[in-house]
Amino acid sequence: MSGLFAALDVVMDRLVVPGYSKWGFRLRRRTWPADDPEPGALRGGLAVVTGAGSGLGKATALGLARLGAAVVLAVRDEAKGQSARDEIIAAVPGAVVHVRHCDVSSLASVRRFASGMLEEFERLDVLVHNAGTMPPQRTTSAEGHELTFATHVLGPLLMTDLLRSLLAASPDPRVVLVSSGGMYTQRLRSDDPEYREGEYRGATAYARTKRMQVALVPLLADRYASEGVGVHGMHPGWADTPGVAGSLPGFHRLARLLLRTAEEGADTVVWLSATSPAPPTGRFWHDRRERPVHYLPVTGKRGDVSAFWACCANITGVPAR
């Protein structure tokens, strides 16, 4: 990337609209090698994508299948999962696509899913945490935890740890957490992870827990470094998905001409999963480039990361060390 384009890239990123839109993606794409990731980069490998029934998850699964991976669609709605499977196989004849039930917000469901994975497979090469939710009112999971916190933080943390042995069996294992640019508006709320204080807003809960995901990335990268597991965070920009249309109809209506396709939003997830050599672990990415995790001074006032980790470990039963 030339110095001039690198400067333009930073300006687009800071201005948000040009960087997060389809135009930002399409401009940046011109600088990427056509063979990155290499065709067949994941041949013989296995990938799990949560929330893969539609939107970014389905687009990610399709991208991984095109690179040769067998893909497990971990979905809450198995009918949507089967429909997604049919679409992927139609687009990639011969693709190996499994559908498995998993409600990521439920710790019990995550444990059942992980148990099945450990019985069925010998290794896992890519784990993509994509499942997301944005309830309009404060809602709780099966175990009584605020739903966005359970879906975006607790479930992914537990699943990753339960699948640790399968990831460690891969020659180049990678975990990707799909965050959101909305997290830039929020600081780490280690003092109120369950959003019990103040007036509840779904978009705020979503952004808070996406900030928590970003805080998890370096913690998990350090946790699994000795086993060679790379952990990466990213945000997809503004993509036209059923989730955005359903949860943010006003934004979707106003920004529809700027929105990326789901495939464009998923591009960096697929790239992080398959590019070679592996990207540095513990970093945060957008459009194939490492990005800062804070832009606003108020969000840079660090929450208590140790308290946040202790809370999550206590709820999930994941060993603190």
Side-chain angles (χ1 to χ4, degrees), residues 188 209-220 305 308:
L188 179 62
T209 51
K210 289 299 181 177
R211 166 62 69 187
M212 293 177 194
Q213 282 186 330
V214 174
L216 274 181
V217 168
L219 299 175
L220 296 182
V305 177
F308 166 66

Side-chain angles (χ1 to χ4, degrees), residues 226-276:
S226 63
E227 288 143 301
V229 179
V231 182
H232 314 284
M234 62 79 64
H235 82 82
W238 294 338
D240 192 357
T241 66
V244 170
S247 299
L248 298 169
F251 170 78
H252 184 266
R253 184 171 57 254
L254 290 172
R256 65 185 182 278
L257 297 179
L258 299 173
L259 299 180
R260 303 168 176 215
T261 66
E263 289 74 19
E264 290 170 342
D267 175 84
T268 296
V269 186
V270 176
W271 179 81
L272 286 167
S273 301
T275 191
S276 182

Side-chain angles (χ1 to χ4, degrees), residues 1 6 54 56 83 92 105 135-136 145 156 190 231 295:
M1 183 181 292
S54 65
L56 292 176
S83 178
V92 188
S105 75
H145 301 289
S190 55
V231 182
Y295 288 143

Side-chain angles (χ1 to χ4, degrees), residues 3 31 86 94 121 125 156 199 213 234 236 249 278 304:
T31 68
D86 293 343
F121 300 104
D125 301 274
E199 180 183 357
Q213 282 186 330
M234 62 79 64
D304 190 335

Side-chain angles (χ1 to χ4, degrees), residues 21-315:
S21 72
K22 63 184 179 183
W23 305 117
F25 174 85
R26 294 171 190 180
L27 181 61
R28 289 163 174 154
R29 181 175 57 188
R30 297 180 182 182
T31 68
W32 302 337
D35 59 349
D36 182 20
E38 292 185 3
L42 295 174
R43 187 170 292 116
L46 178 69
V48 167
V49 182
T50 68
S54 65
L56 292 176
K58 183 173 70 174
T60 296
L62 174 60
L64 299 177
R66 282 178 170 148
L67 292 173
V71 185
V72 176
L73 312 182
V75 294
R76 185 176 55 185
D77 184 333
E78 290 182 83
K80 286 179 64 176
Q82 290 293 344
S83 178
R85 177 182 183 273
D86 293 343
E87 291 182 42
I88 292 168
I89 292 175
V92 188
V96 177
V97 184
H98 310 275
V99 177
R100 298 290 182 270
H101 178 266
C102 185
D103 178 352
V104 179
S105 75
S106 164
L107 300 180
S109 182
V110 169
R111 290 190 178 97
R112 286 192 295 270
F113 170 78
S115 178
M117 288 290 297
L118 291 166
E119 290 180 5
E120 189 173 359
F121 300 104
E122 295 183 354
R123 84 180 206 202
L124 176 60
D125 301 274
V126 178
L127 174 57
V128 177
H129 294 297
N130 165 78
T133 188
M134 190 188 297
Q137 293 89 31
R138 189 179 188 280
T139 309
T140 55
S141 68
E143 288 87 5
H145 301 289
E146 192 277 318
L147 195 62
T148 62
F149 180 49
T151 304
H152 302 155
V153 182
L154 301 178
L157 170 59
L158 178 61
M159 184 183 293
T160 305
D161 217 62
L162 292 174
L163 298 179
R164 182 175 188 169
S165 62
L166 291 185
L167 288 163
S170 168
D172 187 12
R174 305 184 193 182
V175 177
V176 182
L177 287 94
V178 180
S179 183
S180 164
M183 72 93 191
Y184 281 117
T185 66
Q186 299 294 319
R187 64 181 177 87
L188 179 62
R189 290 301 304 268
S190 55
D191 57 324
D192 184 24
E194 300 267 12
Y195 206 154
R196 300 182 188 280
E197 301 173 6
E199 180 183 357
Y200 185 90
R201 293 183 174 86
T204 301
Y206 185 88
R208 283 185 179 186
T209 51
K210 289 299 181 177
R211 166 62 69 187
M212 293 177 194
Q213 282 186 330
V214 174
L216 274 181
V217 168
L219 299 175
L220 296 182
D222 288 345
R223 182 177 182 83
Y224 304 128
S226 63
E227 288 143 301
V229 179
V231 182
H232 314 284
M234 62 79 64
H235 82 82
W238 294 338
D240 192 357
T241 66
V244 170
S247 299
L248 298 169
F251 170 78
H252 184 266
R253 184 171 57 254
L254 290 172
R256 65 185 182 278
L257 297 179
L258 299 173
L259 299 180
R260 303 168 176 215
T261 66
E263 289 74 19
E264 290 170 342
D267 175 84
T268 296
V269 186
V270 176
W271 179 81
L272 286 167
S273 301
T275 191
S276 182
T281 187
R283 311 289 179 82
F284 186 65
W285 304 80
H286 171 56
D287 283 348
R288 302 192 183 193
R289 190 173 184 189
E290 185 181 349
R291 306 291 175 179
V293 297
H294 295 284
Y295 288 143
L296 303 175
V298 66
T299 70
K301 296 178 180 178
R302 288 172 57 85
D304 190 335
V305 177
S306 296
F308 166 66
W309 171 255
C311 171
C312 295
N314 179 61
I315 291 171

